[in-house]
Amino acid sequence: MSEIAKAYEPQEVEARWDAAWEEAKCFKGVLPEDTSAVEPHSIVIPPPNVTGVLHMGHILNNTIQDILTRRARQQGKAAVWVPGTDHAGIATQARVERELRKEGKTRHDLGREKFVEKACEWRDEHGGIILKQLRKLGASCDWGRTVHTLDEGYSRAVLTAFVELYQKGMIYRGKRMVNWCPVSLTALSDEEVIMKPQQGFLYKMRYEIAERPGEYVEISTTRPETIMGDTGVAIHPEDERYKHLHGLHAVRPFPRAEIPFVPDEHVDREFGTGVLKVTPAHDQADWDIGKRHNLPAPIVITADGKVDCPEVPELHGKDRFEARKLAVKLLEAQGLLIEAEKYENNVGFSERADVPIEPRPSDQWWLKYPKVEEAKEAVRSGAIKFYPQRWEKVYLHWLDNIQDWCISRQLWWGHRIPVWYKKGLDRSKLTDEDFQNPELVHVSVDGPADPENWDQEEDVLDTWASSWLWPFGTFGWPEGSELQKKELDFWYPTAALATGPDIIFFWVARMIMAGLEFMGDVPFKTVYFNGIIRDGKGRKMSKSLGNSPDPLELIALYGADSMRLGMLMIAPKGQDVLFDFTTDPQTGAVTECPPLQQGRNFCNKLWNACRFRLMQQEEGASAAGSLEDIIARLEPAKFDADDHAILGSLVETLDAYDKDLSAYEFNAVTQQIYKFFWSDFCDWYVEVSKTKMQDPELKANCLAIQDLCLRQLLLMLYPLTPFITEQLWHDMGYAAGEDDFIQNYAPGTGTELKAKLLSANVTLDQSAMEEVEALRDFVQKARALKAQYNLAAKRDVTFYIVGDAANRTVVESHGEKLKRLVGAAGIEPRDDVQDAPASVTALGTLYLDLASSVDTEAEKKRLGKELEKLAGAIRGAEAKLGNEKFTGKAPAEVVEGVRQTLAENKAKAAELERLMASFG
């Protein structure tokens, strides 16, 4: 054993062991010579954007992955955690273009090749920061395996997947309605569109019936700026109000034109007037109606969100939202606007650019999802398990309603689609048959042999169309060497995936389908969905709200282990996490963070407990040693009830730890460990052992028990708090040498430990454990009684205990210990006690003798003054809540705060009145 520093300094400890682990290659995923002899455990990190930085969601998610990986190493598995980054097509291109705009340039000024070079330079300079930040957290990735989605090998996997699916007829090009981002200038998938409630107007207007001048139909719309694109007016075929319009035409007001009434069952007769203007090029439902009735589909909104209609000069070239206001004025001027009614509806926003998307028809590449039914069955059958299980329904519902995936993006940064067209070919006229003609269209990974005669497709693939291959693309698929094949066969499928539920469609479902399609097996056996991190007000953390702290600042303030533990303590399985903190209003620096402070307090307590243990060590004594060495030092003949109880608690904690970790109950694991260490070991066992430590006959056995408890505790804590446990593992003498790392040992189960104890003639006494539990209940209740009467610091109080003979015997046999722990001059048995505050304990009813402990008159005066203050506060709050001006005008949270304070003050007053009554 070595001396432990007086104070725990996390930065020093973290730097030391980060370097030591790297030098010893502790985290390297090594392919064993005999792959059948070792169980693999692989995890692939959800690749963060290469341009991203660490946020609180990353902290929780990567802590969970690290726990799973470090535990697997402890269990003797061949474990690897593969890190990597995503090229983040839209986000990265937007950042590089922003830099170009500062120079007064656009990407078109550079040209495609130079722009991609510029983007690569920017990525190499600014990208990958997040992986360095994850090392600060203690992420035990095999950093030598880091993969980027634009790496040469991974890119080949992406292009190979495209070619294989194209050859199977599952990828095609076609003009369909897409979600268009007018800022990023690219198509988006449905999953990249965020629906947001928006306050707007529902405009009721009228269109004249062409064949009946002077007669009109009323139409409701939220988008009058698209009137120029109307090519029909839809009515429900069974709507009696409009059957007379079948075969007639309406007059579009601008530019003026006659457009047909079309009967279509899509029309909702209850919405608005039951008449729908049909703008096929700017609404998915209208596009479908237009297809059914062969309506033309003129595009009147440009790709960048401006009106394109020279025939209406008042609107032409105007931004779509400005044009909306101008269109309303035109309707008013023509006497066609009836009313503008305030209206809230859900509007789709581009996830990246955060602007309303523009539905528009576009030629894009589409993928018919492979293995859909097999992907459903994989989850239904339990081949893949979801934690929490409730996400299975969400997953299956999406697969039941799945639509073809728009996989092309109008960007330059990304995987360029491996399709080439014969030079000079008019692509707009290509038919489905033409795409199968190799003389016109070439599709391959490496391109045509005569590239000078071909033009490559300009579009790139959706970023998700690369990351859906992540579980096997990171291990060398499509394998080109014997080693790559062995790697893939050994590490795939991966053991688990930890991710957020917000990408269950983007990524999780797609990876499952890709794994089944290309590997013939599921990509992972379990999926753990962690909750979303929210601030103290319940809001999702975001840069725009300024409510997300810098994790690196928190690590510097509290330490990585404190952050990991603190996050786990407040994160129940799969539920959103409320993360509260305060900042300096001047500097914005974090000044207080209760969850992380709790984690830091635990680490400090652990450090001090180990240091206290070493301070009891005899000079020259040998190291604590192995588990077998420690058990051999136990002397069961000298065990008392407290020794049985702490070992019994250790056995229970080990079993609960194993069970809860296997069920991904990380929060429950932290609670179990916290209870054992803080309550059972420190607050009770160490305290009651202090007298035994003075007895030479009992000291060695007591130290052996402490060594056993601390050893198994460090092993349980290691996946959660790796830095401090590695340091203490060596300081306490559990390591066989400097390079004998804690990851080489597993805590085992309680059942296994119990068997080892039994083989050493240590049989745990269940009745002794129950007796100690009763004693602890007694001490807790006694301390609470003292605290109620402000006597916590006094050690000369007297208690009376009323109970049966057996319980009296227990109290008497532990009398001195109980008096020391409670802080009492005496604990006297009585048959009956009157007029004294009492508490029911497991050993009988406990009474506090106030007459000998408190100046009752002075205490009654003090309580009376407190009651007067509370009465005033209660009257003030009741007056506020009775005032309609206050309850009607004050913010809801202020009113609720007053109500809560009133309830709390009433409860305090009731408690003080009870205390007053106990004095007579």
Side-chain angles (χ1 to χ4, degrees), residues 302-506:
T302 63
D304 60 349
K306 293 182 173 60
V307 170
D308 181 17
C309 187
E311 297 94 329
V312 186
E314 299 92 333
L315 305 184
H316 182 65
K318 298 292 193 296
D319 175 80
R320 55 189 169 151
F321 297 113
E322 182 187 357
R324 180 176 298 176
K325 297 174 184 176
L326 294 173
V328 171
K329 289 182 179 179
L330 286 178
L331 289 170
E332 285 179 318
Q334 295 181 26
L336 299 176
L337 182 68
I338 298 171
E339 64 174 342
E341 174 189 347
K342 284 187 178 180
Y343 182 70
E344 181 180 292
N345 64 332
N346 283 323
V347 175
F349 275 66
S350 166
E351 184 190 33
R352 290 290 177 202
D354 196 33
V355 296
I357 57 102
E358 190 62 47
R360 70 197 314 260
S362 177
D363 280 313
Q364 300 288 340
W365 288 92
W366 303 86
L367 168 65
K368 300 172 185 175
Y369 282 102
K371 306 294 183 186
V372 175
E373 291 306 315
E374 292 88 337
K376 293 179 192 175
E377 184 57 26
V379 171
R380 285 198 197 107
S381 67
I384 300 175
K385 288 184 168 60
F386 282 4
Y387 297 90
Q389 192 176 359
R390 68 175 183 273
W391 290 110
E392 290 181 7
K393 288 184 179 178
V394 178
Y395 166 86
L396 293 170
H397 176 75
W398 183 71
L399 287 179
D400 284 338
N401 298 276
I402 201 167
Q403 302 291 320
D404 289 357
W405 177 9
C406 177
I407 57 171
S408 49
R409 296 292 181 269
Q410 288 62 58
L411 304 170
W412 287 356
W413 177 249
H415 298 98
R416 194 168 179 180
I417 291 175
V419 173
W420 285 260
Y421 305 95
K422 202 69 175 178
K423 266 198 187 311
L425 196 65
D426 185 350
R427 302 179 200 177
S428 65
K429 295 181 179 178
L430 286 175
T431 64
D432 291 343
E433 290 75 19
D434 292 335
F435 273 99
Q436 303 307 314
N437 185 346
E439 294 185 4
L440 299 178
V441 178
H442 176 91
V443 180
S444 73
V445 173
D446 298 310
D450 52 340
E452 67 278 3
N453 296 320
W454 299 82
D455 292 319
Q456 189 176 356
E457 170 68 60
E458 287 84 5
D459 290 354
V460 300
L461 288 168
D462 175 13
T463 301
W464 296 103
S466 61
S467 58
W468 77 319
L469 311 176
W470 196 245
F472 49 93
T474 48
F475 290 113
W477 183 90
E479 65 276 4
S481 67
E482 188 62 29
L483 177 60
Q484 283 179 317
K485 186 177 188 311
K486 284 183 178 178
E487 282 262 329
L488 200 55
D489 288 345
F490 183 69
W491 297 117
Y492 188 91
T494 62
L497 173 73
T499 187
D502 49 334
I503 55 174
I504 191 170
F505 313 129
F506 285 124

Side-chain angles (χ1 to χ4, degrees), residues 628-742:
E628 289 71 20
D629 293 338
I630 296 171
I631 291 177
R633 288 163 42 208
L634 297 176
E635 302 175 68
K638 296 178 180 179
F639 276 26
D640 63 11
D642 294 308
D643 297 329
H644 284 284
I646 193 63
L647 291 179
S649 177
L650 176 60
V651 165
E652 289 176 1
T653 303
L654 285 166
D655 276 337
Y657 172 89
D658 184 69
K659 173 177 168 289
D660 289 338
L661 259 192
S662 299
Y664 298 84
E665 297 280 1
F666 302 102
N667 178 256
V669 166
T670 62
Q671 302 305 324
Q672 285 284 351
I673 290 177
Y674 190 95
K675 175 187 175 298
F676 171 75
F677 170 66
W678 201 290
S679 178
D680 298 352
F681 184 76
C682 292
D683 285 356
W684 187 263
Y685 188 72
V686 172
E687 287 301 313
V688 300
S689 295
K690 286 178 179 176
T691 54
K692 290 191 283 187
M693 301 289 284
Q694 308 306 313
D695 186 338
E697 289 295 315
L698 301 176
K699 182 176 180 179
N701 178 63
C702 188
L703 289 178
I705 290 174
Q706 289 187 26
D707 286 343
L708 178 56
C709 290
L710 288 171
R711 181 187 188 276
Q712 302 312 105
L713 174 69
L714 292 177
L715 289 171
M716 285 188 283
L717 275 169
Y718 165 68
L720 284 65
T721 55
F723 293 109
I724 190 173
T725 48
E726 188 76 79
Q727 180 69 48
L728 294 173
W729 181 258
H730 287 77
D731 286 345
M732 291 292 290
Y734 297 126
E738 190 62 31
D739 58 352
D740 185 28
F741 298 100
I742 191 171

Side-chain angles (χ1 to χ4, degrees), residues 804-815:
D804 60 33
N807 285 334
R808 284 189 182 188
T809 300
V810 173
V811 173
E812 288 171 358
S813 64
H814 294 276

Side-chain angles (χ1 to χ4, degrees), residues 425-630:
L425 196 65
D426 185 350
R427 302 179 200 177
S428 65
K429 295 181 179 178
L430 286 175
T431 64
D432 291 343
E433 290 75 19
D434 292 335
F435 273 99
Q436 303 307 314
N437 185 346
E439 294 185 4
L440 299 178
V441 178
H442 176 91
V443 180
S444 73
V445 173
D446 298 310
D450 52 340
E452 67 278 3
N453 296 320
W454 299 82
D455 292 319
Q456 189 176 356
E457 170 68 60
E458 287 84 5
D459 290 354
V460 300
L461 288 168
D462 175 13
T463 301
W464 296 103
S466 61
S467 58
W468 77 319
L469 311 176
W470 196 245
F472 49 93
T474 48
F475 290 113
W477 183 90
E479 65 276 4
S481 67
E482 188 62 29
L483 177 60
Q484 283 179 317
K485 186 177 188 311
K486 284 183 178 178
E487 282 262 329
L488 200 55
D489 288 345
F490 183 69
W491 297 117
Y492 188 91
T494 62
L497 173 73
T499 187
D502 49 334
I503 55 174
I504 191 170
F505 313 129
F506 285 124
W507 197 44
V508 179
R510 289 168 175 170
M511 281 193 291
I512 293 172
M513 288 184 275
L516 292 165
E517 172 68 19
F518 298 109
M519 297 297 296
D521 198 357
V522 296
F524 27 70
K525 297 157 192 171
T526 60
V527 183
Y528 178 83
F529 295 104
N530 56 262
I532 293 170
I533 312 296
R534 300 185 181 277
D535 66 13
K537 296 179 181 178
R539 301 174 302 175
K540 186 175 180 179
M541 287 188 170
S542 70
K543 289 181 182 177
S544 60
L545 288 175
N547 63 345
S548 180
D550 178 0
L552 291 186
E553 180 187 343
L554 295 176
I555 289 175
L557 196 59
Y558 293 99
D561 287 331
S562 302
M563 170 173 270
R564 292 163 63 116
L565 191 61
M567 290 295 291
L568 292 169
M569 285 178 169
I570 59 170
K573 184 166 79 173
Q575 295 182 29
D576 287 358
V577 180
L578 292 179
F579 186 81
D580 201 9
F581 64 99
T582 55
T583 57
D584 185 304
Q586 302 298 322
T587 65
V590 174
T591 56
E592 186 181 9
C593 183
L596 270 55
Q597 186 60 55
Q598 187 180 15
R600 180 60 187 267
N601 292 345
F602 184 95
C603 289
N604 286 340
K605 186 91 167 176
L606 178 65
W607 188 267
N608 291 333
C610 290
R611 187 167 179 271
F612 175 78
R613 161 61 189 92
L614 290 189
M615 290 169 62
Q616 313 310 312
Q617 187 73 10
E618 299 290 345
E619 191 171 342
S622 61
S626 67
L627 178 60
E628 289 71 20
D629 293 338
I630 296 171

Side-chain angles (χ1 to χ4, degrees), residues 170-237:
M170 303 190 76
I171 290 179
Y172 62 95
R173 185 168 176 84
K175 177 171 278 191
R176 291 176 54 177
M177 185 66 67
V178 299
N179 305 302
W180 185 265
C181 176
V183 171
S184 304
L185 298 179
T186 182
L188 304 173
S189 69
D190 290 344
E191 290 74 30
E192 292 169 297
V193 176
I194 308 300
M195 302 307 294
K196 296 184 180 182
Q198 297 292 300
Q199 287 290 342
F201 290 92
L202 184 64
Y203 301 95
K204 187 182 287 187
M205 55 191 182
R206 56 183 191 163
Y207 278 18
E208 190 173 20
I209 302 170
E211 289 82 0
R212 299 180 181 183
E215 289 188 32
Y216 297 84
V217 291
E218 293 181 359
I219 299 175
S220 295
T221 182
T222 58
R223 301 198 65 194
E225 72 274 17
T226 62
I227 284 175
M228 301 82 70
D230 290 359
T231 56
V233 175
I235 49 180
H236 196 282

